[in-house]
Amino acid sequence: MTRPERDRDALGRARQARPRDALGRPLPYGAAGVEPVSEEPLPPEETLRTARELVAAGRPFAAHEVLEVRWKSGPAEERDLWQGLAQLCVAITHAARGNHTGAHRLAQRAAARLAAYAATGRATYGVDLDAVTECAKRQVEAGRDGAADGSPADAARDDW
């Protein structure tokens, strides 16, 4: 069985041409998936607004992608902020997919990264890092305990 070539642009960078479900799982080519998010970096406030909206809509994986673009294109001194927030979104994604061990471990790593960033006193763009970390951890724990229905809505509170 031959595998199709990976989706690449003219410069050889990976692209998201394959459709995905709301939790980022790949679907067969030609299937109806969710609308992909832009692969262009957004300004910090717009990144946060978009990530909030995506998490509230049950798309934490897409929120992770928006945050990941920001971390990879933003200033190096803000990398831990954006990477930590992206990791929280992936933790929520793992919890919604049923990977509770991975969700817990990633939430812990994200919390440590965000705590280290908070200690620097650098800009958080209005995000209460402690509150958003605790909110995401609650979502991960709820999924592990079977209390969550797979919806990450709690993680989209105004803490972001």
Side-chain angles (χ1 to χ4, degrees):
M1 177 175 145
T2 55
R3 296 173 56 188
E5 292 296 315
R6 293 183 67 194
D7 299 317
R8 301 282 179 176
D9 66 12
L11 299 174
R13 292 182 300 230
R15 292 294 172 221
Q16 7 169 345
R18 189 168 173 185
R20 301 210 174 245
D21 72 7
L23 292 176
R25 293 174 289 221
L27 298 170
Y29 286 99
V34 296
E35 183 71 26
V37 295
S38 173
E39 295 180 15
E40 295 299 317
L42 301 170
E45 291 83 2
E46 191 174 346
T47 298
L48 291 168
R49 181 185 52 75
T50 302
R52 282 184 196 112
E53 291 170 358
L54 288 164
V55 171
R59 297 184 59 198
F61 183 81
H64 145 266
E65 290 180 325
V66 169
L67 293 161
E68 182 178 56
V69 169
R70 181 73 200 159
W71 117 45
K72 290 183 176 180
S73 64
E77 61 271 9
E78 292 182 0
R79 179 179 181 192
D80 283 344
L81 170 66
W82 302 110
Q83 189 174 20
L85 292 172
Q87 286 176 320
L88 286 179
C89 289
V90 175
I92 295 166
T93 301
H94 282 308
R97 290 178 178 177
N99 177 5
H100 306 300
T101 300
H104 179 73
R105 287 180 182 159
L106 195 52
Q108 294 303 319
R109 283 199 311 263
R113 183 179 302 280
L114 291 173
Y117 181 82
T120 69
R122 292 191 181 108
T124 64
Y125 301 97
V127 176
D128 180 335
L129 297 179
D130 290 334
V132 76
T133 298
E134 288 307 311
C135 188
K137 284 182 179 179
R138 281 193 309 274
Q139 183 64 29
V140 166
E141 291 303 313
R144 186 180 73 187
D145 296 338
D149 61 2
S151 169
D154 182 52
R157 293 183 1 199
D158 290 336
D159 300 327
W160 285 68

